[in-house]
Amino acid sequence: MTTPTVEFDTSGLGEWTDSQRFEVTAERIAEYAAATNDPIERHLAGEVAPPVFAVVPAFTSMAPAALSVAPVELLMKLVHGEQDFHFHRPIRPGDNLVVRAKPIGFEGRANGSTVVVYVETVTDDGELVNEQWMTAFFRKVDAGAGLGEQAPGHRFDETLRGQAPVASITQHIDEDQTFRYSPASGDPMPIHLDDEIARMSGLPGIINHGLCTMAFTSWAALTELADGRVERLRRLAVRFAKPVLPGQDIATQFRQVAESTGGTTSYAYETAVGDELVIKDGLAVIADTET
């Protein structure tokens, strides 16, 4: 069966969404930390936000940006392909954030098509807080040759497999994880909450939010490699490879990419359930000292 060709709207490329404002509270930070089983006390107390909390203010901007290029009727074929955060400073209680997003490129692939969305988060006085690249993947749709930019690369270097991991951690996804994560993140997608809808979508049942799984790997990177200090994390990027089910254990291995350069050290990582990778092409860039 051939993948149907669908015309994407090139006029949407480079067009910003309307700005969205978000007031950060200690309570919302603490709720997100608890919903991702984050053990770092400052996060649980709402003193400073965990890294992946950065998606919460941006969540309502990302899908509309992708669907300004891809036809809106493809919404049910949309899955989160990749996520890449570049952190300029942590999010703190009292921050009044302004978020906008724009699609920057799309590309047809053998098993589907991608739309790359760039997201910018600033304070209300213009300070850059973080940048994000979200790759939306539309299953079994061919957009053709594509146009525009792709997201920054973060592919796992296969030569690293000859090295022993510098850190390994196993974490448990709770049976109620998705029901806690959904309100904390603002993501109401029914495949994470309704078993029947998930199965109708071709899934084995309710699946964990990809960004929740990513949040688990973020606190793994902080606790194992950065003394629990979110201020040291400069970049976190992943490719979502397979869904994770509630009740499963995930195992993440970090390998150092090279010696420290420019005051940061990069770690490639992968996350597996058993022998199957659920996160590929993971990358954590950590400052050697806190600034």
Side-chain angles (χ1 to χ4, degrees), residues 76 79 139-140 191 194-207 243 245:
M76 294 310 294
V79 295
R139 295 172 294 168
K140 299 179 181 178
I191 59 173
D194 188 305
D195 191 73
E196 183 178 354
I197 291 177
R199 292 180 186 278
M200 287 173 58
S201 299
L203 299 165
I206 287 172
I207 63 171
L245 306 181

PDB file of all heavy atoms in Angstrom, residues 76 79 139-140 191 194-207 243 245:
ATOM      1  N   MET A  76      -5.322  13.693  13.707  1.00  0.00           N
ATOM      2  CA  MET A  76      -5.325  12.377  14.356  1.00  0.00           C
ATOM      3  C   MET A  76      -4.146  11.515  13.908  1.00  0.00           C
ATOM      4  O   MET A  76      -3.898  10.463  14.481  1.00  0.00           O
ATOM      5  CB  MET A  76      -6.648  11.660  14.103  1.00  0.00           C
ATOM      6  CG  MET A  76      -7.845  12.344  14.746  1.00  0.00           C
ATOM      7  SD  MET A  76      -7.601  12.738  16.504  1.00  0.00           S
ATOM      8  CE  MET A  76      -7.505  11.087  17.186  1.00  0.00           C
ATOM      9  N   VAL A  79       1.840  12.679  15.707  1.00  0.00           N
ATOM     10  CA  VAL A  79       2.521  12.208  16.912  1.00  0.00           C
ATOM     11  C   VAL A  79       3.774  13.067  17.107  1.00  0.00           C
ATOM     12  O   VAL A  79       4.271  13.699  16.172  1.00  0.00           O
ATOM     13  CB  VAL A  79       2.903  10.711  16.836  1.00  0.00           C
ATOM     14  CG1 VAL A  79       1.677   9.837  16.783  1.00  0.00           C
ATOM     15  CG2 VAL A  79       3.812  10.433  15.640  1.00  0.00           C
ATOM     16  N   ARG A 139       1.845  10.391  10.553  1.00  0.00           N
ATOM     17  CA  ARG A 139       1.998   8.993  10.153  1.00  0.00           C
ATOM     18  C   ARG A 139       1.364   8.725   8.792  1.00  0.00           C
ATOM     19  O   ARG A 139       0.252   9.142   8.521  1.00  0.00           O
ATOM     20  CB  ARG A 139       1.353   8.073  11.197  1.00  0.00           C
ATOM     21  CG  ARG A 139       2.008   8.106  12.564  1.00  0.00           C
ATOM     22  CD  ARG A 139       1.208   7.326  13.585  1.00  0.00           C
ATOM     23  NE  ARG A 139      -0.098   7.967  13.824  1.00  0.00           N
ATOM     24  CZ  ARG A 139      -1.097   7.400  14.478  1.00  0.00           C
ATOM     25  NH1 ARG A 139      -0.986   6.166  14.919  1.00  0.00           N
ATOM     26  NH2 ARG A 139      -2.222   8.061  14.678  1.00  0.00           N
ATOM     27  N   LYS A 140       2.115   8.001   7.949  1.00  0.00           N
ATOM     28  CA  LYS A 140       1.617   7.466   6.686  1.00  0.00           C
ATOM     29  C   LYS A 140       1.048   8.552   5.778  1.00  0.00           C
ATOM     30  O   LYS A 140       0.015   8.371   5.123  1.00  0.00           O
ATOM     31  CB  LYS A 140       0.571   6.372   6.954  1.00  0.00           C
ATOM     32  CG  LYS A 140       1.136   5.199   7.745  1.00  0.00           C
ATOM     33  CD  LYS A 140       0.091   4.142   8.026  1.00  0.00           C
ATOM     34  CE  LYS A 140       0.681   2.992   8.831  1.00  0.00           C
ATOM     35  NZ  LYS A 140      -0.316   1.959   9.159  1.00  0.00           N
ATOM     36  N   ILE A 191      -5.420   9.551  24.004  1.00  0.00           N
ATOM     37  CA  ILE A 191      -4.654   8.298  23.941  1.00  0.00           C
ATOM     38  C   ILE A 191      -3.860   8.056  25.224  1.00  0.00           C
ATOM     39  O   ILE A 191      -3.397   6.947  25.468  1.00  0.00           O
ATOM     40  CB  ILE A 191      -3.693   8.270  22.731  1.00  0.00           C
ATOM     41  CG1 ILE A 191      -2.702   9.434  22.777  1.00  0.00           C
ATOM     42  CG2 ILE A 191      -4.464   8.228  21.430  1.00  0.00           C
ATOM     43  CD1 ILE A 191      -1.614   9.363  21.712  1.00  0.00           C
ATOM     44  N   ASP A 194      -7.673   7.394  27.866  1.00  0.00           N
ATOM     45  CA  ASP A 194      -8.821   6.545  27.538  1.00  0.00           C
ATOM     46  C   ASP A 194      -8.326   5.306  26.793  1.00  0.00           C
ATOM     47  O   ASP A 194      -7.864   5.399  25.662  1.00  0.00           O
ATOM     48  CB  ASP A 194      -9.811   7.340  26.676  1.00  0.00           C
ATOM     49  CG  ASP A 194     -11.120   6.597  26.442  1.00  0.00           C
ATOM     50  OD1 ASP A 194     -11.070   5.443  25.948  1.00  0.00           O
ATOM     51  OD2 ASP A 194     -12.183   7.163  26.733  1.00  0.00           O
ATOM     52  N   ASP A 195      -8.459   4.154  27.450  1.00  0.00           N
ATOM     53  CA  ASP A 195      -7.917   2.921  26.885  1.00  0.00           C
ATOM     54  C   ASP A 195      -8.589   2.562  25.560  1.00  0.00           C
ATOM     55  O   ASP A 195      -7.915   2.136  24.609  1.00  0.00           O
ATOM     56  CB  ASP A 195      -8.100   1.775  27.889  1.00  0.00           C
ATOM     57  CG  ASP A 195      -7.329   0.533  27.494  1.00  0.00           C
ATOM     58  OD1 ASP A 195      -6.087   0.546  27.620  1.00  0.00           O
ATOM     59  OD2 ASP A 195      -7.953  -0.438  27.024  1.00  0.00           O
ATOM     60  N   GLU A 196      -9.890   2.770  25.458  1.00  0.00           N
ATOM     61  CA  GLU A 196     -10.612   2.413  24.235  1.00  0.00           C
ATOM     62  C   GLU A 196     -10.152   3.269  23.059  1.00  0.00           C
ATOM     63  O   GLU A 196      -9.909   2.759  21.956  1.00  0.00           O
ATOM     64  CB  GLU A 196     -12.120   2.571  24.442  1.00  0.00           C
ATOM     65  CG  GLU A 196     -12.945   2.156  23.234  1.00  0.00           C
ATOM     66  CD  GLU A 196     -14.435   2.268  23.477  1.00  0.00           C
ATOM     67  OE1 GLU A 196     -14.839   2.557  24.622  1.00  0.00           O
ATOM     68  OE2 GLU A 196     -15.198   2.064  22.509  1.00  0.00           O
ATOM     69  N   ILE A 197     -10.013   4.572  23.284  1.00  0.00           N
ATOM     70  CA  ILE A 197      -9.563   5.464  22.215  1.00  0.00           C
ATOM     71  C   ILE A 197      -8.127   5.129  21.811  1.00  0.00           C
ATOM     72  O   ILE A 197      -7.779   5.138  20.628  1.00  0.00           O
ATOM     73  CB  ILE A 197      -9.685   6.937  22.649  1.00  0.00           C
ATOM     74  CG1 ILE A 197     -11.168   7.316  22.752  1.00  0.00           C
ATOM     75  CG2 ILE A 197      -8.946   7.861  21.685  1.00  0.00           C
ATOM     76  CD1 ILE A 197     -11.411   8.724  23.253  1.00  0.00           C
ATOM     77  N   ALA A 198      -7.306   4.809  22.793  1.00  0.00           N
ATOM     78  CA  ALA A 198      -5.921   4.440  22.480  1.00  0.00           C
ATOM     79  C   ALA A 198      -5.886   3.198  21.589  1.00  0.00           C
ATOM     80  O   ALA A 198      -5.139   3.151  20.601  1.00  0.00           O
ATOM     81  CB  ALA A 198      -5.145   4.190  23.772  1.00  0.00           C
ATOM     82  N   ARG A 199      -6.689   2.200  21.903  1.00  0.00           N
ATOM     83  CA  ARG A 199      -6.719   0.976  21.092  1.00  0.00           C
ATOM     84  C   ARG A 199      -7.299   1.243  19.699  1.00  0.00           C
ATOM     85  O   ARG A 199      -6.851   0.665  18.708  1.00  0.00           O
ATOM     86  CB  ARG A 199      -7.500  -0.114  21.818  1.00  0.00           C
ATOM     87  CG  ARG A 199      -6.801  -0.609  23.079  1.00  0.00           C
ATOM     88  CD  ARG A 199      -7.580  -1.701  23.798  1.00  0.00           C
ATOM     89  NE  ARG A 199      -6.954  -2.047  25.055  1.00  0.00           N
ATOM     90  CZ  ARG A 199      -5.923  -2.879  25.184  1.00  0.00           C
ATOM     91  NH1 ARG A 199      -5.406  -3.468  24.114  1.00  0.00           N
ATOM     92  NH2 ARG A 199      -5.422  -3.136  26.376  1.00  0.00           N
ATOM     93  N   MET A 200      -8.286   2.129  19.610  1.00  0.00           N
ATOM     94  CA  MET A 200      -8.839   2.495  18.300  1.00  0.00           C
ATOM     95  C   MET A 200      -7.796   3.195  17.436  1.00  0.00           C
ATOM     96  O   MET A 200      -7.869   3.152  16.206  1.00  0.00           O
ATOM     97  CB  MET A 200     -10.057   3.408  18.491  1.00  0.00           C
ATOM     98  CG  MET A 200     -11.300   2.695  19.003  1.00  0.00           C
ATOM     99  SD  MET A 200     -12.642   3.859  19.395  1.00  0.00           S
ATOM    100  CE  MET A 200     -12.862   4.671  17.812  1.00  0.00           C
ATOM    101  N   SER A 201      -6.814   3.809  18.091  1.00  0.00           N
ATOM    102  CA  SER A 201      -5.739   4.492  17.371  1.00  0.00           C
ATOM    103  C   SER A 201      -4.605   3.553  16.994  1.00  0.00           C
ATOM    104  O   SER A 201      -3.577   3.991  16.474  1.00  0.00           O
ATOM    105  CB  SER A 201      -5.189   5.639  18.226  1.00  0.00           C
ATOM    106  OG  SER A 201      -6.200   6.587  18.511  1.00  0.00           O
ATOM    107  N   GLY A 202      -4.778   2.267  17.281  1.00  0.00           N
ATOM    108  CA  GLY A 202      -3.766   1.285  16.917  1.00  0.00           C
ATOM    109  C   GLY A 202      -2.716   1.052  17.973  1.00  0.00           C
ATOM    110  O   GLY A 202      -1.693   0.391  17.713  1.00  0.00           O
ATOM    111  N   LEU A 203      -2.949   1.565  19.182  1.00  0.00           N
ATOM    112  CA  LEU A 203      -1.998   1.392  20.273  1.00  0.00           C
ATOM    113  C   LEU A 203      -2.418   0.219  21.147  1.00  0.00           C
ATOM    114  O   LEU A 203      -3.579  -0.212  21.132  1.00  0.00           O
ATOM    115  CB  LEU A 203      -1.934   2.684  21.114  1.00  0.00           C
ATOM    116  CG  LEU A 203      -1.471   3.927  20.346  1.00  0.00           C
ATOM    117  CD1 LEU A 203      -1.775   5.192  21.131  1.00  0.00           C
ATOM    118  CD2 LEU A 203       0.017   3.829  20.049  1.00  0.00           C
ATOM    119  N   PRO A 204      -1.488  -0.304  21.958  1.00  0.00           N
ATOM    120  CA  PRO A 204      -1.841  -1.441  22.810  1.00  0.00           C
ATOM    121  C   PRO A 204      -2.691  -1.055  24.013  1.00  0.00           C
ATOM    122  O   PRO A 204      -3.153  -1.923  24.760  1.00  0.00           O
ATOM    123  CB  PRO A 204      -0.467  -1.954  23.272  1.00  0.00           C
ATOM    124  CG  PRO A 204       0.444  -0.782  23.162  1.00  0.00           C
ATOM    125  CD  PRO A 204      -0.046   0.012  21.998  1.00  0.00           C
ATOM    126  N   GLY A 205      -2.915   0.217  24.199  1.00  0.00           N
ATOM    127  CA  GLY A 205      -3.661   0.748  25.339  1.00  0.00           C
ATOM    128  C   GLY A 205      -3.134   2.135  25.638  1.00  0.00           C
ATOM    129  O   GLY A 205      -2.402   2.734  24.846  1.00  0.00           O
ATOM    130  N   ILE A 206      -3.527   2.667  26.790  1.00  0.00           N
ATOM    131  CA  ILE A 206      -3.040   3.986  27.195  1.00  0.00           C
ATOM    132  C   ILE A 206      -1.513   3.990  27.171  1.00  0.00           C
ATOM    133  O   ILE A 206      -0.867   3.054  27.634  1.00  0.00           O
ATOM    134  CB  ILE A 206      -3.558   4.320  28.611  1.00  0.00           C
ATOM    135  CG1 ILE A 206      -5.059   4.650  28.566  1.00  0.00           C
ATOM    136  CG2 ILE A 206      -2.782   5.465  29.233  1.00  0.00           C
ATOM    137  CD1 ILE A 206      -5.687   4.805  29.933  1.00  0.00           C
ATOM    138  N   ILE A 207      -0.938   5.067  26.606  1.00  0.00           N
ATOM    139  CA  ILE A 207       0.522   5.199  26.575  1.00  0.00           C
ATOM    140  C   ILE A 207       0.949   6.436  27.373  1.00  0.00           C
ATOM    141  O   ILE A 207       0.188   7.390  27.513  1.00  0.00           O
ATOM    142  CB  ILE A 207       1.074   5.300  25.136  1.00  0.00           C
ATOM    143  CG1 ILE A 207       0.551   6.543  24.423  1.00  0.00           C
ATOM    144  CG2 ILE A 207       0.740   4.027  24.358  1.00  0.00           C
ATOM    145  CD1 ILE A 207       1.213   6.822  23.092  1.00  0.00           C
ATOM    146  N   PRO A 243       6.304   3.917  22.060  1.00  0.00           N
ATOM    147  CA  PRO A 243       5.553   4.340  23.239  1.00  0.00           C
ATOM    148  C   PRO A 243       5.944   3.562  24.487  1.00  0.00           C
ATOM    149  O   PRO A 243       6.376   2.409  24.411  1.00  0.00           O
ATOM    150  CB  PRO A 243       4.099   4.061  22.847  1.00  0.00           C
ATOM    151  CG  PRO A 243       4.163   3.033  21.769  1.00  0.00           C
ATOM    152  CD  PRO A 243       5.446   3.263  21.049  1.00  0.00           C
ATOM    153  N   LEU A 245       4.441   2.270  28.193  1.00  0.00           N
ATOM    154  CA  LEU A 245       3.154   1.966  28.828  1.00  0.00           C
ATOM    155  C   LEU A 245       3.237   2.187  30.328  1.00  0.00           C
ATOM    156  O   LEU A 245       4.287   1.950  30.946  1.00  0.00           O
ATOM    157  CB  LEU A 245       2.748   0.523  28.546  1.00  0.00           C
ATOM    158  CG  LEU A 245       2.713   0.086  27.077  1.00  0.00           C
ATOM    159  CD1 LEU A 245       2.255  -1.371  26.970  1.00  0.00           C
ATOM    160  CD2 LEU A 245       1.810   0.993  26.263  1.00  0.00           C
TER     161      LEU A 245
END
